[in-house]
Amino acid sequence: MSPRSRDWHVSGWPAVVPAPFVFPIALLMQLLPLKKTRDRSASDVAGFLRDFIAGTGGQWDWDDFTSIPITDTALDAIRAEAEMIRLPVDEIGSQKLKELLAKAEKLEFGG
């Protein structure tokens, strides 16, 4: 199982120690006009969905996919719908994921 997301994550005590330094910097970063979306392709979106359906994604992949808006509005609409699926996924959620995968694949192959 290899992670699709390349985002860096810290957990446990290493996440707590730098907090007094990180929080003021994070606050300043929120005040600066930085890009708030991620550039992802239809292939990337389809890959995240395929991996989640198959249970082969990395530990943080689904969270990274659903929580970071995508620059392309059509792909972001797919991401937003995926974000609304309740976890753990039931039969209805599984069907919805397959529908979203079909939409992403249609965009991926220019359909």
Side-chain angles (χ1 to χ4, degrees):
M1 173 166 75
S2 67
R4 180 169 296 278
S5 175
R6 301 286 182 234
D7 293 338
W8 182 67
H9 298 278
V10 178
S11 58
W13 70 266
V16 177
V17 172
F21 307 104
V22 173
F23 286 129
I25 293 170
L27 180 62
L28 284 173
M29 296 292 287
Q30 289 296 319
L31 299 175
L32 298 174
L34 299 175
K35 185 174 180 179
K36 304 271 191 221
T37 61
R38 179 68 49 101
D39 293 328
R40 295 202 195 277
S41 67
S43 179
D44 293 334
V45 171
F48 276 106
L49 290 165
R50 265 189 230 103
D51 287 351
F52 188 74
I53 290 168
T56 59
Q59 179 181 2
W60 296 101
D61 286 355
W62 189 247
D63 181 61
D64 291 344
F65 171 64
T66 58
S67 63
I68 302 171
I70 300 171
T71 305
D72 182 291
T73 55
L75 296 174
D76 193 54
I78 292 171
R79 180 207 61 82
E81 285 187 63
E83 182 181 24
M84 290 189 278
I85 295 172
R86 294 175 56 100
L87 300 178
V89 178
D90 58 11
E91 195 61 39
I92 295 170
S94 179
Q95 184 59 36
K96 182 65 176 174
L97 285 171
K98 290 174 186 171
E99 290 171 14
L100 294 173
L101 176 58
K103 284 183 185 181
E105 287 173 338
K106 185 175 180 182
L107 293 171
E108 179 181 16
F109 299 116

